[in-house]
Amino acid sequence: MTPVPSAYHQRVAEEKRALIVQAATELFLELGYDRTSLARVADSAGVSKATLFKQFPTKAALFDAIVIDSWAENDVADVPPTGDLTAGLTVLGRRYATLVSQPEMTDLLRIVIAELPRFPELAKAHFSQGKLPYFETIRIYLVAEHDAGAADIADPEMAATQFLGMISNYLFWPSLLLPDWTVSPARTTAVVEEAVRTMVARYGTDGHHRDREVFTASTADDTQGR
């Protein structure tokens, strides 16, 4: 019978894994994917080569880990309940905004773009293990809202692309070209809210629109009465 690792050993392994992933990311950015050896990653992370090879037998496996960790905020099973398109999209939009605002996400795509001509498999790994699962979270949610009658979405793939694009086009893509690009928390909130309003206006059902109109009117009355 294989012995079960203790909590202490599990924690140590997780800490070493984090050090390895961080060191690899920094070296990939500095030297490029091709010029970064696993031995150099081990030295930079302060772990033995045996420890590194035990967790990541190949450089491709290490890059896959970087992708998975960068998209770690995603959970395909964590789809908001249906029935309120505004509330559900707000949850997903805020989660996505937090994700793409992380420096690690920009670093990851810079690695992929720099190495694309020589290592197209990196882009495929980024898409299949990172972007695609997150995209599926949004698509699955939109299908559920359509089936529940809270939205009328004939093409959920297109709708998911539109929603994520409205957020990433402001919060993420400029950071690739402008190193000093920063967005305040208030502005980030506004970007998500506007994306949600646009989606609801385009895809919300009539009943959902009426609910939102009543909510907006009551909110305005409350505000004026204060």
Side-chain angles (χ1 to χ4, degrees):
M1 179 182 295
T2 302
V4 178
S6 66
Y8 168 78
H9 288 95
Q10 287 180 334
R11 185 175 71 253
V12 170
E14 290 171 359
E15 291 173 352
K16 289 183 177 180
R17 181 187 184 281
L19 289 172
I20 293 169
V21 170
Q22 181 61 37
T25 302
E26 293 173 356
L27 288 171
F28 288 160
L29 283 170
E30 178 186 355
L31 304 176
Y33 180 82
D34 189 32
R35 294 172 57 198
T36 299
S37 67
L38 289 179
R40 191 160 191 168
V41 172
D43 290 341
S44 181
V47 302
S48 69
K49 296 179 181 63
T51 295
L52 186 146
F53 283 113
K54 183 178 181 180
Q55 297 207 34
F56 306 107
T58 66
K59 192 158 56 173
L62 181 52
F63 183 79
D64 287 348
I66 294 174
V67 172
I68 292 170
D69 284 6
S70 296
W71 289 88
E73 290 292 323
N74 172 53
D75 184 352
V76 175
D78 187 18
V79 178
T82 59
D84 189 332
L85 186 62
T86 297
L89 286 177
T90 298
V91 169
L92 294 172
R94 288 174 178 170
R95 187 186 304 165
Y96 187 61
T98 298
L99 185 65
V100 299
S101 296
Q102 296 175 349
E104 295 83 358
M105 189 60 66
T106 304
D107 291 344
L108 175 63
L109 195 57
R110 283 180 176 149
I111 294 171
V112 171
I113 292 173
E115 300 292 353
L116 183 59
R118 290 179 298 174
F119 299 98
E121 64 270 18
L122 299 186
K124 294 177 182 178
H126 178 264
F127 181 79
S128 63
Q129 298 193 47
K131 175 70 174 181
L132 184 59
Y134 199 95
F135 180 87
E136 275 297 292
T137 301
I138 310 301
R139 189 192 67 79
I140 290 170
Y141 169 73
L142 293 176
V143 169
E145 288 290 24
H146 176 85
D147 293 342
D152 183 7
I153 305 175
D155 189 341
E157 290 187 2
M158 177 68 73
T161 300
Q162 292 168 340
F163 182 57
L164 296 180
M166 284 188 283
I167 297 172
S168 62
N169 281 349
Y170 193 99
L171 300 181
F172 177 69
W173 294 110
S175 65
L176 288 176
L177 301 176
L178 305 172
D180 59 345
W181 178 263
T182 58
V183 182
S184 68
R187 189 63 172 170
T188 298
T189 298
V191 168
V192 173
E193 289 178 348
E194 286 303 314
V196 171
R197 290 191 186 100
T198 301
M199 291 291 290
V200 173
R202 171 64 179 86
Y203 295 110
T205 58
D206 290 341
H208 189 72
H209 281 308
R210 284 195 294 271
D211 291 343
R212 291 301 300 163
E213 289 169 0
V214 171
F215 174 78
T216 302
S218 63
T219 301
D221 292 340
D222 291 342
T223 302
Q224 292 173 359
R226 291 175 184 171

